[in-house]
Amino acid sequence: MKVCLVGSSGGHLTHLYMLKPFWQDQDRFWVTFPKPDAQSLLADETMIPCYYPTNRSLKALLINTRLAWKVLRKERPDLIISTGAAVAVPFFYLGKLLGAKTMYIEIFDRIDSPTLTGKLVYPVTDRFIVQWEELKRVYPKAINLGSIF
């Protein structure tokens, strides 16, 4: 299985990296911000840099949508996993269009309110994971797996 792990650097990337027992034996690539923390953590990984900052930026969305189209058509992942943030949106929508399965994990610090990215990708996510039971009121189809820490 080929896996695309997509997310912002910092805490979102840390959450994705904590899933190492799952992805370590998979054919994989990462899409994240080309910042020092990501470059250090992913030094031995295939990392595709995306455009940032993404916070409510139409320019970033357009640039990262173009990147997602190019990357997903070339790499053809079977599964796209993200913990956010905005860079995940074009990868999830275009990934679904190209036949990939998607898994979104709402970040740990969201206990009873959704993130903007979570709300945007929820309609196209095959497995939506929350880490708090309270979030199932916001995302009724979510699966609560508890903390990934």
Side-chain angles (χ1 to χ4, degrees), residues 110-114 119 122 128 130-144:
R110 288 305 177 117
I111 298 170
D112 57 6
S113 64
K119 289 191 295 187
Y122 184 70
F128 199 97
V130 295
Q131 299 180 60
W132 297 95
E133 191 64 27
E134 292 85 346
L135 269 180
K136 290 185 73 179
R137 286 188 294 242
V138 177
Y139 304 116
K141 296 183 290 183
I143 301 165
N144 177 12

Side-chain angles (χ1 to χ4, degrees), residues 45-106:
E45 298 286 323
T46 301
M47 186 186 103
I48 298 167
C50 62
Y51 183 82
Y52 75 99
T54 57
N55 297 5
R56 293 172 173 79
S57 166
L58 182 58
K59 176 183 176 183
L61 177 62
L62 293 173
I63 292 170
N64 286 329
T65 297
R66 193 173 325 128
L67 174 69
W69 182 248
K70 178 182 170 188
V71 168
L72 294 173
R73 283 181 40 236
K74 178 183 177 207
E75 297 294 335
R76 296 289 187 184
D78 301 297
L79 176 63
I80 302 169
I81 303 174
S82 184
T83 56
V87 69
V89 174
F91 278 84
F92 271 49
Y93 277 85
L94 292 174
K96 287 301 291 181
L97 183 68
L98 295 171
K101 296 291 184 188
T102 56
M103 179 187 295
Y104 187 81
I105 303 167
E106 190 67 281

Side-chain angles (χ1 to χ4, degrees), residues 8 23-24 29 38 48 68-69 96 124 133 137 148:
S8 305
W23 57 254
Q24 69 185 346
F29 65 96
I48 298 167
W69 182 248
K96 287 301 291 181
V124 296
E133 191 64 27
R137 286 188 294 242
I148 62 172

